[in-house]
Amino acid sequence: MTTPDVLWTPTNARAEQSQLAQYQRWLKQTTGAEFADYNALWNWSTTDLDGFWTSICDFFELKFSQKATKVLGRRQMPGAEWFPGAKLNWAENILSKGLETPEKQALIIESETTGRSELSWKELTDQVSSLANHLRAMGVGQGDRVAAVLPNTECAIIACLATTSLGAIWSLCAPDMGKVAILDRFRQIEPKVMIYQDRYKHGGKWIDKSQEISEVVAGLSTLAHQVAVSTEGNPSSELDSRGKSTSTDWQSLLKTPADLTFTQVDFDHPLWIVYSSGTTGNPKPIVHGHGGILLEGSKQSLHLDLNPDSRFCWLTSSGWVMWNVQLVALGQGATVMLYDRAPNYPDLLDIWRRVADEKITYFGAGAAFFSACAKAAIQPGAQFDFAELTSLGSTGSPMTSDGYAWIYGAVKQDLWLAPISGGTDFCGAFVGGNVMMPVRAGEMQARALGNAVRAFDPEGNELIDEVGELVCTEPLPSMPLFLWGDEDGSRLHESYFDTYPGIWRHGDWISINAEGGSVIYGRSDATINRRGLRLGSSEIYQAVEALEEIQDSLVVDLEFLGKASFMPLFVVLTEPGKLDDALREKIKMAIRNAVSARFVPDDIVEIKDVPRTLSGKKLEVPVKKLLLGGDPSKIVNRDSMVNPSSFDPFMVYAETRNLN
């Protein structure tokens, strides 16, 4: 196999000043452990789990109010028991480093709705303490759920930290999500308080979500309190029968700072609930724990090379797991720029301009954003001074060699480019960067420390330099504690462990070379991945099949390395032959309103029958493999289908659309 071209090599100074180099020197000084190269370090980290995760706690000086009796009570998947007996609070650890420099910038907010603002560490902590006390007065305590529909601004950061400081459980949705998608998430977790912003500006236009938010509130019977973030003098859309607001104004909850106390909880006490949809049923409500997220985030900061001098920005929606990574940066005492704007308004140079103006040192975005910049032939490096920008990250979808070339040609030559790949499911990265190593075109540099990542064939054999299923063969502290409402653990098992017993299957195609470099090729399952945001096909079916004109449907996402993401929707009509432009637009509008505009299909095609197994399951993965160029005779056993001939139209579609 041809070795990819080297695009960047760190100077000795850059490598030796990195957090990863400091960690390795610390390991040698404190434990005597020394490793010949990164692969040797990685091998140790994935075999001596006790030694490695203890070192993360000690190197980062993580705050525990009570030490654990051991590192691993049970070493199994699912059901690993981490740090039994330990007590801590995640929010306390996130705020601790910044409080050493109270007047330094903690947050810079670049918002279309409210303009530019900033908060020092003292101001951030004061507002967190004030909100926490008000939430406590509302009856929010350990284990209660606080849900929010907020954009990527300081409000979401403050609310998350205040909620979790109490030992309550945080859950966040983006305002651009449809009401059905939000309700499908929040109904499952029965929140006590909901915080929302129902108006915001995007792309130069005001977006009014007040009606949708009212319907969300009406659909959550467990709500005891609502908090509204006002915009341009509109504090709330919720009024009682006398015309009086039923919501508390957000700003009124931030004006009474007090001593910030942190409820000490078990290592595996629930921290937040995030959502990663499967192909059937409601979105999966994934519960992560205080300790696991703290350890994984601290470890990931080695691969992001973050420290208190970093100025960090990731272009993200509040509905994407990369929103949470901003808190990883805060946890290292870094300054974080929150970008709440349309990245293509007034043009694609907007965020690049702000990266330069705010002297950002680390900028990250979805690969689709960089691809859009390349297609638009913009040259940010020729127009802005990126003297402070030293690191650039990418994720969400595979980045091709062409993407690497555009960044080094159009942004900056002396730049560490470190694409990562992981997931909402464990709130981390399986593969990512190592600033001490060269950057090769189209390749992610290293498997993350502590993450026993491998490529498997269908029989469970490890593959080198071949595309296989991405698996993790050892437990991680940040793997889900459980799925909310999954009493017997069956849904958790089905989601991650039913293919290879006792081994996590992530749902991505990956190839890994002998040196540990890797390439992600796209999703290996039927999950929809649009510009980094994942959604289960069931949510699209719910919106589409509610229309009286649609009898049945099937959707696939044809994301794959080197190909533009393409999502066709196939529909069976109640009245065959009636698919016209008006019905296509009606279908798109149903998806926009119920789910999100991000998941509007690229093509809508009429079919006579959805391919199904004998048990009635839609054959999404075989259709996806076929449309990506798979051999029809090998990807599906027609004897196992209730309607074998239904597969034929997809073969014709693949040929006529030239998708292969």
Side-chain angles (χ1 to χ4, degrees), residues 216-485:
V216 169
V217 168
L220 297 174
S221 61
T222 57
L223 286 182
H225 297 277
Q226 304 154 43
V227 178
V229 177
S230 61
T231 55
E232 291 202 341
N234 294 311
S236 172
S237 61
E238 287 296 303
L239 302 175
D240 63 18
S241 59
R242 295 169 296 173
K244 184 178 179 181
S245 175
T246 59
S247 298
T248 303
D249 179 57
W250 167 263
Q251 287 297 330
S252 71
L253 305 182
L254 305 181
K255 297 177 180 178
T256 52
D259 290 337
L260 184 55
T261 59
F262 298 94
T263 301
Q264 300 300 301
V265 297
D266 292 339
F267 187 90
D268 61 356
H269 181 74
L271 171 70
W272 57 41
I273 301 170
V274 293
Y275 305 89
S276 183
S277 295
T279 55
T280 59
N282 279 330
K284 299 196 299 284
I286 299 170
V287 183
H288 293 135
H290 277 244
I293 291 300
L294 179 62
L295 265 66
E296 177 65 20
S298 299
K299 185 269 313 263
Q300 288 297 342
S301 71
L302 296 175
H303 293 282
L304 297 170
D305 196 30
L306 297 177
N307 60 52
D309 294 326
S310 299
R311 296 174 69 82
F312 180 88
C313 174
W314 200 289
L315 173 58
T316 179
S317 157
S318 53
W320 188 18
V321 73
M322 297 312 295
W323 179 87
N324 306 66
V325 175
Q326 297 171 129
L327 288 150
V328 170
L330 281 178
Q332 298 308 309
T335 298
V336 174
M337 183 175 87
L338 305 173
Y339 185 84
D340 175 37
R341 308 179 70 90
N344 60 352
Y345 178 82
D347 52 47
L348 280 167
L349 289 170
D350 183 75
I351 193 168
W352 294 107
R353 184 180 298 110
R354 297 170 201 278
V355 165
D357 290 348
E358 302 292 352
K359 302 185 187 308
I360 298 301
T361 61
Y362 189 112
F363 172 56
F369 171 74
F370 296 123
S371 176
C373 290
K375 289 178 181 177
I378 63 172
Q379 298 279 323
Q383 297 182 250
F384 307 117
D385 180 2
F386 290 137
E388 287 80 11
L389 183 64
T390 60
S391 309
L392 194 145
S394 171
T395 194
S397 56
M399 176 175 274
T400 65
S401 296
D402 289 343
Y404 282 64
W406 178 82
I407 286 164
Y408 281 104
V411 180
K412 190 177 180 181
Q413 287 186 334
D414 185 16
L415 188 71
W416 173 47
L417 172 58
I420 64 175
S421 184
T424 301
D425 314 77
F426 69 106
C427 200
F430 279 129
V431 290
N434 178 350
V435 74
M436 303 176 72
M437 294 171 61
V439 173
R440 297 184 182 277
E443 186 176 284
M444 283 173 282
Q445 291 173 294
R447 292 176 279 191
L449 295 176
N451 297 46
V453 177
R454 292 176 169 81
F456 270 14
D457 69 11
E459 285 71 46
N461 302 306
E462 185 172 5
L463 301 171
I464 300 295
D465 282 327
E466 294 183 53
V467 178
E469 288 277 0
L470 190 162
V471 301
C472 188
T473 59
E474 294 289 349
L476 290 170
S478 65
M479 284 178 175
L481 301 176
F482 53 89
L483 304 182
W484 196 270

Side-chain angles (χ1 to χ4, degrees), residues 147-148 171 173 182-191 220 275:
S171 194
C173 281
I182 295 172
L183 276 171
D184 282 349
R185 286 156 174 77
F186 288 168
R187 270 181 180 149
Q188 296 184 75
I189 66 171
E190 299 179 313
L220 297 174
Y275 305 89

